């Protein structure tokens, strides 16, 4: 039974091939080479075939030892071109017969790999117009696919991947050969449009037996996935039994579609193979917030964010005390080392520094083994979360992407900490006001003390005593001295809870800013490479949809 094949549009085929090239381009860095070999081969072969003559149709006669394909080749050519004999293997190299001028087909035969001495031209002045219907046909007689010579088998496999149409030649004794059906015919299940099966040597059978064998052969082809493939009976010894095959070849040549149909079928096959690498679309938020938060938490611990936040709180208390404390003791605070400077953190970090600027390293404590382990677990969690909805073949690429910048993480985290504004560079206005008030109170105490000293000196010198006003029972100089000292110390004590609350706020603010910087590092060094792979997956999915004409 013949199948009516719809015409293959050359532009649509080119679009599908371009989509396959795009698929290979975006997946090449991420998928194993073994998954893409067939696709790469097809893209290269299709480019070569389409650049050569589309006016020629390359048809191969393929079959097992003793099937009579060489005799059939000679009968179709009406010349003895290919050696026929009882000693096996007979056909060791491919022979080609060209209907029409040889020169236009030479480049095509060079690409196929047919030796010049094995090329023949089917032209004769005696033919008249008998062979015009086959002009453009390049008929190949292939070696036996079951040859005892391994080189012959390899040559058959190579040529079967290059020809436009295959005519499988079987004989009544071995038409059900297991190797033929399992190793070859079933592998071409999507190529029914460019496949013909010929029951050769049918002259040995009665018409009834021929019909029985053809029916059984059709059943086997159905099992091979080649249902609807033309099945013809022929005989090289009976010219009349070549009519159906010759008409089928004339139809193929006239349509000038075999090369396009072969490539379209190959695209269908490759598309099915690659379908296993593409699954459902990746989620819009492939790496959810909780996963990024877990990663940021582990990176923050590794970067020493808690230690820097504590140092920021200590620095806040120390600087607040130095600005608002009792002037007689605030100098002691300035003698203490600044907690942030001990970590080599600047009061005014270079928050606008670009990636190429040199930023001094901090002295934040190095991450311990447990912290490094937590980072590794979180990085794997990002890859696992992204890989969850995708086919398993993408998991290694996502894991590799998540770890791709692991060696740069410590420096990136240190830089993030060093360039984060911790919010302690500016001196609050109320510090200045309280500081000025403390100095006023101290000056009041000094005035009172000075007044008392002068009064004492006057009495010692026997001079008239100074008039010391009093507030109630307390002399004013004494009130100024004690009041200034007491008020200054009281103000300092009252400010301690406020400073403590401010230090807690400073710690929270610093930790939030540091975590934000660390989260940016997490997104840039772990999540971004993963999303590059997911973006490639999305592009590959779109391209494969075009390849498969979905």
């Amino acid at each position: 039974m013949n199948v009516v094949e719809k015409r293959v549009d050359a532009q649509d085929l080119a679009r599908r091939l371009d989509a396959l090239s795009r698929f290979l381009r975006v997946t090449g860095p991420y998928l194993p080479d073994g998954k893409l070999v067939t696709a790469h081969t097809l893209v290269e072969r299709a480019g070569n075939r389409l650049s050569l003559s589309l006016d020629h149709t390359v048809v191969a006669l393929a079959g097992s030892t003793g099937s009579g394909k060489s005799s059939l080749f000679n009968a179709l050519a009406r010349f003895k071109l290919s050696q026929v004999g009882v000693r096996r293997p007979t056909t060791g190299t491919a022979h080609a017969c060209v209907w029409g001028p040889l020169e236009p087909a030479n480049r095509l035969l060079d690409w196929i790999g047919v030796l010049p001495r094995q090329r023949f031209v089917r032209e004769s002045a005696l033919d008249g117009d008998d062979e015009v219907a086959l002009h453009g046909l390049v008929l190949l007689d292939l070696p036996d696919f079951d040859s005892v010579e391994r080189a012959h088998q390899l040559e058959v496999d190579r040529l079967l991947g290059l020809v436009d149409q295959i005519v499988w030649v079987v004989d009544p004794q071995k038409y059900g050969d297991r190797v033929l059906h399992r190793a070859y015919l079933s592998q071409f299940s999507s190529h029914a449009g460019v496949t013909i099966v010929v029951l050769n040597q049918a002259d040995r059978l009665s018409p009834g037996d021929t019909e029985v064998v053809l029916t059984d052969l059709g059943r086997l082809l159905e099992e091979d996935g080649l249902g609807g493939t033309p099945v013809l009976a022929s005989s090289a010894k009976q010219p009349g039994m070549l009519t159906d095959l010759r008409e089928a070849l004339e139809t193929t040549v006239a349509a000038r579609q075999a090369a396009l149909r072969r490539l379209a079928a190959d695209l269908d096959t490759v598309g099915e193979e690659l379908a296993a690498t593409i699954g459902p679309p990746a989620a819009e938020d492939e790496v959810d917030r909780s996963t990024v938060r877990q990663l940021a938490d582990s990176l923050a611990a590794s970067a020493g964010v808690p230690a820097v936040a504590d140092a920021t709180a200590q620095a806040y208390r120390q600087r607040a005390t130095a600005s608002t404390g009792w002037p007689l003791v605030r100098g002691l605070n300035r003698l203490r080392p600044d907690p942030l400077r001990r970590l080599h953190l600047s009061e005014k970090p270079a928050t606008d520094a670009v990636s190429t600027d040199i930023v001094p390293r901090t002295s934040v404590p190095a991450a311990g083994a447990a912290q490094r382990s937590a980072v590794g677990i979180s990085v794997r969690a990002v890859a696992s979360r992204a890989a969850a909805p995708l086919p398993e073949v993408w998991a290694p690429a996502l894991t590799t992407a998540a770890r791709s910048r692991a060696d740069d993480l410590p420096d990136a985290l240190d830089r993030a900490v060093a360039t984060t504004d911790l919010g302690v560079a500016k001196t609050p206005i109320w510090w200045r006001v309280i500081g000025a008030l403390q100095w006023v109170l101290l000056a009041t105490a000094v005035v009172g003390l000075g007044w008392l000293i002068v009064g004492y000196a006057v009495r010692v010198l026997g001079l008239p005593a100074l008039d010391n006003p009093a507030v109630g029972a307390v002399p004013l100089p004494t009130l100024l001295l004690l009041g200034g000292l007491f008020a200054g110390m009281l103000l300092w004590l009252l400010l301690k809870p406020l400073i403590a609350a401010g230090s807690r706020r400073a710690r929270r603010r610093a930790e939030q800013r540091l975590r934000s910087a660390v989260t940016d590092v997490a997104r840039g060094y772990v999540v971004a490479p993963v999303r590059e792979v997911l973006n490639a997956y999305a592009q590959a999915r779109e391209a494969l949809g075009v390849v498969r004409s979905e």
Side-chain angles (χ1 to χ4, degrees):
M1 181 178 76
N2 292 343
V3 288
V4 178
E5 287 286 328
K6 66 177 183 180
R7 293 186 64 82
V8 175
D9 183 71
Q11 291 185 346
D12 181 66
L13 180 66
R15 182 177 63 88
R16 293 176 65 193
L17 286 169
D18 181 68
L20 182 58
S21 298
R22 191 164 67 251
F23 177 92
L24 294 173
R25 215 165 34 244
V26 300
T27 60
Y30 307 116
L31 295 185
D33 291 339
K35 297 283 186 183
L36 306 176
V37 170
T38 305
H40 278 294
T41 302
L42 174 57
V43 168
E44 182 180 0
R45 179 167 62 80
N48 290 331
R49 181 64 185 93
L50 293 175
S51 68
L52 298 170
S53 175
L54 290 178
D55 293 328
H56 288 84
T57 302
V58 183
V59 179
L61 297 179
S64 61
T65 304
S67 61
K69 55 185 171 51
S70 295
S71 299
L72 197 61
F73 176 80
N74 293 335
L76 288 168
R78 299 179 185 175
F79 288 110
K80 187 177 180 180
L81 304 177
S82 185
Q83 181 183 359
V84 179
V86 250
R87 192 168 67 87
R88 308 298 177 195
T90 301
T91 307
T93 57
H95 294 66
C97 182
V98 180
W99 273 256
L102 177 62
E103 185 58 33
N106 272 334
R107 286 185 60 220
L108 184 57
L109 290 171
D110 288 340
W111 174 66
I112 293 172
V114 177
L115 299 174
R117 67 174 180 270
Q118 307 292 4
R119 303 174 188 178
F120 306 99
V121 180
R122 183 58 183 86
E123 285 288 340
S124 172
L126 301 176
D127 292 330
D129 294 332
D130 292 349
E131 303 297 321
V132 170
L134 290 178
H135 273 206
L137 173 64
V138 179
L139 187 64
L140 302 183
D141 180 21
L142 305 188
D144 304 329
F145 68 75
D146 60 350
S147 172
V148 294
E149 296 287 344
R150 176 62 176 162
H152 294 182
Q153 299 175 27
L154 295 175
E155 180 69 357
V156 170
D157 293 343
R158 184 185 71 82
L159 291 170
L160 288 177
L162 300 177
V163 300
D164 302 329
Q165 187 171 49
I166 305 172
V167 176
W168 291 99
V169 181
V170 300
D171 61 80
Q173 288 76 33
K174 295 194 296 183
Y175 70 88
D177 180 68
R178 189 174 182 178
V179 175
L180 169 66
H181 288 274
R182 290 199 175 181
Y184 288 97
L185 289 174
S186 61
Q187 303 303 314
F188 285 84
S189 58
S190 61
H191 293 69
V194 289
T195 301
I196 298 175
V197 179
V198 173
L199 177 64
N200 198 25
Q201 303 171 8
D203 57 309
R204 299 180 181 180
L205 303 173
S206 66
D209 289 341
T210 299
E211 195 62 36
V212 169
V213 172
L214 288 176
T215 301
D216 191 43
L217 181 54
R219 177 187 61 80
L220 293 174
L221 292 174
E222 191 80 35
E223 294 176 357
D224 294 331
L226 287 169
T229 298
V231 182
L232 310 174
S234 71
S235 172
K237 295 181 179 181
Q238 299 289 337
M241 298 186 73
L242 290 175
T243 303
D244 290 345
L245 176 57
R246 185 179 177 86
E247 288 179 354
L249 293 177
E250 289 176 355
T251 301
T252 297
V253 171
R256 297 288 191 270
Q257 279 278 296
L260 300 180
R261 285 174 179 164
R262 170 61 196 270
L263 293 176
D266 288 341
L267 275 170
D268 291 340
T269 301
V270 167
E272 288 301 316
E273 291 180 3
L274 295 177
T277 67
I278 299 297
E284 189 170 334
D285 188 7
E286 310 90 352
V287 184
D288 56 23
R289 292 181 179 178
S290 63
T291 307
V292 175
R293 190 181 305 115
Q294 176 188 350
L295 175 63
D297 288 343
S298 61
L299 289 178
S302 174
V305 167
V308 176
D310 289 340
T312 303
Q314 295 172 13
Y316 180 93
R317 286 195 298 271
Q318 186 170 323
R319 295 174 187 181
T321 300
S323 298
T324 64
W326 194 37
L328 295 181
V329 297
R330 71 169 62 172
L332 298 176
N333 283 291
R334 291 195 174 93
L335 296 178
R336 297 175 184 172
D338 187 280
L340 290 177
R341 290 175 184 170
R342 282 205 308 266
L343 299 178
H344 292 171
L345 293 173
S346 173
E347 290 184 7
K348 296 182 179 180
T351 53
D352 58 345
V354 295
S355 59
T356 54
D357 290 342
I358 297 176
V359 177
R361 289 193 63 86
T362 69
S363 295
V364 176
Q371 293 167 331
R372 291 194 298 270
S373 176
V375 169
I377 292 173
S378 299
V379 169
R380 287 195 296 273
V382 170
S384 299
R385 176 66 183 84
L390 274 57
E392 189 176 349
V393 70
W394 287 88
L398 288 165
T399 300
T400 301
R403 296 175 177 174
S404 61
R405 306 191 67 182
D407 292 341
D408 298 329
L409 269 178
D411 287 341
L413 292 171
D414 192 75
R415 181 184 181 86
V417 171
T419 57
T420 297
D421 182 4
L422 301 176
V424 293
K426 294 181 179 179
T427 301
I429 294 177
W430 71 271
W431 286 10
R432 300 178 186 276
V433 173
I434 296 298
L437 179 58
Q438 286 282 28
W439 281 110
V440 169
L441 294 175
L442 179 62
T444 301
V446 169
V447 168
L449 177 62
W451 196 337
L452 291 174
I453 291 174
V454 170
Y456 178 76
V458 167
R459 288 195 301 272
V460 169
L461 295 174
L463 298 174
L466 297 176
D467 183 16
N468 291 330
V471 177
V474 182
L476 182 59
T478 302
L479 182 62
L480 292 176
L481 173 61
L482 296 179
L485 294 177
F486 179 77
M489 294 186 66
L490 181 62
L491 180 61
W492 179 29
L493 293 175
L494 291 175
L495 285 175
K496 278 193 172 184
L498 185 60
I499 292 174
S503 72
R504 289 192 293 272
R505 287 195 300 272
R507 188 189 190 287
R508 286 195 300 271
R509 180 173 60 245
E511 187 170 17
Q512 288 172 355
R513 293 182 179 183
L514 287 169
R515 286 182 61 83
S516 176
V518 167
T519 301
D520 289 342
V521 172
R523 294 186 183 278
Y525 283 73
V526 179
V527 178
V530 167
R531 284 187 171 152
E532 286 180 11
V533 179
L534 294 172
N535 183 53
Y537 173 82
Q539 295 179 43
R541 191 173 185 276
E542 179 185 0
L544 188 60
V546 176
V547 173
R548 302 181 68 190
S549 300
E550 293 178 347

